[in-house]
Amino acid sequence: MIKAGVVGWPIEQSKSPIIHNYWLDKYNINGSYKKISLSPENFKLGIKRLINDGYAGLNITVPHKEMALEISSNPTERAKKIGAANTLIFKKGKIYADNTDGIGFLSNLTQLAPDWKADLGPAVILGAGGASRSIVYSLLNEGAPKVILTNRTYERAKKLANIFGEKVLVINWKNINKHISGVNTLVNTTTLGMVGSSNLEIDLSTLSSNTLVTDIVYNPLKTPLLEDANRIGCKTVDGLGMLLHQAVPGFKGWFGVEPKVDSALRDRVLLEL
Ligand code: ATR
């Protein structure tokens, strides 16, 4: 039996087992995928034990994504640039590491908004945490001519922008409304709009119907931001698909089948939100 799992601290909230177990069932694969709790102090030793135990690989979540990159012998270029890994594959004594959040983000848009292209115009990204970093990377890699980045804590946005160079322009959080007119893409990577958080205060009236608005928050599925954007006629894509699509490369690497993100999988995960 092929073994894989997701490591985090805490790990109870992880939806990854639902996704991978759905695919294991669907493709009739003799494999397992479990939640594994490892504290930061036990992370390195814990991973060694899992490798010795025959694990094919792991997903890595908060707070271990940076450490996962550090212990890797063979990280991808994008994991290095992003500075964090969420997918490890163990093969012949090597630890391959990748960061698939950005591909998850792009695959979700490709599936649900096929006419959208990153290179059609500038993007505005709200937030400068880990998710923002992989999304900035992906949008630039797909040819976005400019990324306008803003964050409550200005310095954090500035640091992120410095990694990616002159195509990333940092603006003050209070000035968002002045910079979104006619942009091609608008992405919320902050926790605002999530169940239990306050809402994002933003005036979308200068967006055009060609603007794609997307949120990485998926609980609720239709965030107030997406509802506002819908009302004024923008294209919108919810964040659940990013979670589903980021899981594809890991599953393929461990179990040997490239799984499809289908509507039954979405429904399955929605049941657990
Ligand atoms: P992730 O890895 O999912 O991106 P994170 O690194 O914790 O998570 O980042 C959370 C993002 O939400 C950050 O951009 C954070 O802004 P700060 O860098 O200023 O903390 C943003 N965020 C969280 N609460 C917020 C709030 N009340 N108002 C504005 N931004 C908020």
Side-chain angles (χ1 to χ4, degrees):
M1 188 175 67
I2 304 169
K3 290 189 284 193
V6 56
V7 171
W9 177 263
I11 196 60
E12 271 324 301
Q13 77 296 343
S14 175
K15 305 283 179 269
S16 292
I18 305 167
I19 302 171
H20 290 281
N21 284 310
Y22 169 87
W23 285 330
L24 285 171
D25 252 19
K26 177 174 170 182
Y27 298 105
N28 208 6
I29 292 168
N30 184 17
S32 69
Y33 187 97
K34 295 198 170 119
K35 287 179 190 171
I36 300 157
S37 173
L38 283 180
S39 68
E41 310 82 71
N42 292 328
F43 180 75
K44 284 188 183 168
L45 187 62
I47 296 292
K48 260 191 201 154
R49 290 206 174 120
L50 292 165
I51 295 173
N52 290 338
D53 205 20
Y55 269 70
L58 296 163
N59 280 129
I60 305 292
T61 187
V62 177
H64 301 310
K65 289 185 180 184
E66 284 84 7
M67 187 58 76
L69 180 70
E70 267 177 49
I71 62 163
S72 154
S73 56
N74 297 63
T76 57
E77 279 310 308
R78 64 183 171 220
K80 281 197 272 183
K81 187 87 180 174
I82 294 164
N86 68 345
T87 304
L88 299 179
I89 297 175
F90 309 134
K91 220 183 249 171
K92 296 188 182 144
K94 298 218 163 85
I95 301 179
Y96 295 85
D98 196 3
N99 188 313
T100 66
D101 287 333
I103 335 169
F105 172 79
L106 288 175
S107 306
N108 185 33
L109 297 188
T110 306
Q111 189 174 41
L112 299 180
D115 294 338
W116 172 87
K117 298 273 177 299
D119 59 1
L120 294 177
V124 169
I125 301 185
L126 313 174
S132 171
R133 200 154 152 166
S134 18
I135 291 170
V136 173
Y137 173 87
S138 301
L139 286 171
L140 289 175
N141 206 39
E142 284 294 298
K146 186 162 80 171
V147 168
I148 301 161
L149 185 65
T150 186
N151 193 49
R152 175 179 61 177
T153 312
Y154 184 86
E155 275 314 306
R156 206 170 172 204
K158 207 68 198 160
K159 258 194 196 157
L160 201 161
N162 285 341
I163 300 167
F164 293 103
E166 63 202 20
K167 283 191 181 162
V168 182
L169 176 77
V170 178
I171 60 157
N172 201 295
W173 183 247
K174 293 196 180 78
N175 296 336
I176 303 172
N177 292 340
K178 292 187 201 154
H179 292 269
I180 62 173
S181 163
V183 291
N184 183 47
T185 318
L186 187 140
V187 190
N188 175 44
T189 76
T190 75
T191 48
L192 294 172
M194 193 186 281
V195 169
S197 291
S198 38
N199 280 345
L200 184 59
E201 300 296 336
I202 185 168
D203 173 10
L204 301 181
S205 60
T206 59
L207 294 183
S208 86
S209 57
N210 290 324
T211 306
L212 178 106
V213 178
T214 183
D215 205 324
I216 72 159
V217 171
Y218 55 82
N219 193 11
L221 202 54
K222 282 263 170 278
T223 59
L225 171 71
L226 295 181
E227 278 181 347
D228 282 356
N230 259 329
R231 248 192 307 276
I232 64 162
C234 297
K235 295 173 271 189
T236 60
V237 173
D238 68 63
L240 182 58
M242 177 174 170
L243 173 75
L244 308 178
H245 283 281
Q246 63 76 33
V248 169
F251 190 91
K252 181 168 185 221
W254 313 317
F255 301 116
V257 171
E258 182 159 342
K260 289 270 171 293
V261 171
D262 56 24
S263 55
L265 174 61
R266 270 179 74 86
D267 293 344
R268 178 71 194 83
V269 176
L270 276 173
L271 277 180
E272 307 287 332
L273 294 184

